[in-house]
Amino acid sequence: MTATAFICPHGDKVKITDCLKSCVKKQRCMFLPTLRAIAQSLERNIKEPTVTELLCGIRETYLKKTTDYAVDPMQQLYALHGSAVHTINEGFTEGNILSEERLADEVTSGKFDLYGQIIDLSDKTLGDYKITSSYKLMRALGYYKVDVPTGEVYKTGLRKGQPKTRKEWRTDGVRHILDWAIQVNYYRILLEQRGFKVESMKIQAFCRDFSLRIAEERNIRRQVYIININKISDRWIKLYMETKAKRLKEALEKGYLPQLCTPKERWNDRKCRDYCAVAGNCPYGRLVKAGMKQAA
Ligand code: SF4
Ligand code: SF4
């Protein structure tokens, strides 16, 4: 199954085919070519689960493969922006650069963005583009705030005599990039299986809310960051992906709803509430949306 409906700006759903024939509202929320491009980007021609599908919760991927669902075209624009960035770079991959090749093995398949001389003219780097939020970027870069004493003390009030502090940024925190690291490492394995040596892995992350004050409050000062991805053992990555692929395959063959997505996969319910396209087809998602589940 696939996305069959768009969610209009005020929340009603309309079949994608109907929307593309004629807007059911007073005014189109986007140009027709943009909506057509979004509709095309939603078409799934690959039967086997891809690397990105396996990184999601098994239940989410199962529901996307077995039920019809609706998507908000505004949310899909980010994915479309990602494709636009690929297109911009595509015209400039002369030299020893491969781009956007889909590679497969017996477990899954994945399309890497760039491989080869993408940092300088002598390297063999695997690169991936991401368009992401300042929140995700702050966590991916390992940024966090600490309280630093100012040397002064409160002279009045409840905290009289206690030292005053101010917030300062630190950039050596834990980098929350496991999902990106698993994805890129799997592309590395697929390339190495074909004899391509991968010397380093990097993500070029664009901050989509860079112009908002919230990005500055999260210490995001640039629109683009290059993030180094460390190697994860092939054995661990393969075991992780094989286990998820096996569980998904079994659920699809036997036709049962897989176990609940993990708290990490469902972003402690934030995804179920606001971002999971199949939440309406998931018993747990419906409870969260109805306010009957508190975030874990
Ligand atoms: S153009 Fe926008 S508002 Fe009109 S039917 Fe399609 S999704 Fe709804
Ligand atoms: S609603 Fe939550 S638990 Fe259900 S599929 Fe979506 S992310 Fe997973």
Side-chain angles (χ1 to χ4, degrees), residues 6 8-9 14 19 23-25 27-29 35 73:
F6 280 150
C8 301
V14 56
C19 162
C23 174
V24 299
K25 300 286 166 190
Q27 198 182 331
R28 278 216 178 269
C29 60
L35 288 160

Side-chain angles (χ1 to χ4, degrees), residues 59-60 63 260-261 266 272 276 279 282 284-285:
R59 179 180 290 196
E60 184 186 339
L63 288 171
L260 189 60
C261 304
R266 58 180 205 269
C272 313
C276 177
C282 166
Y284 186 83

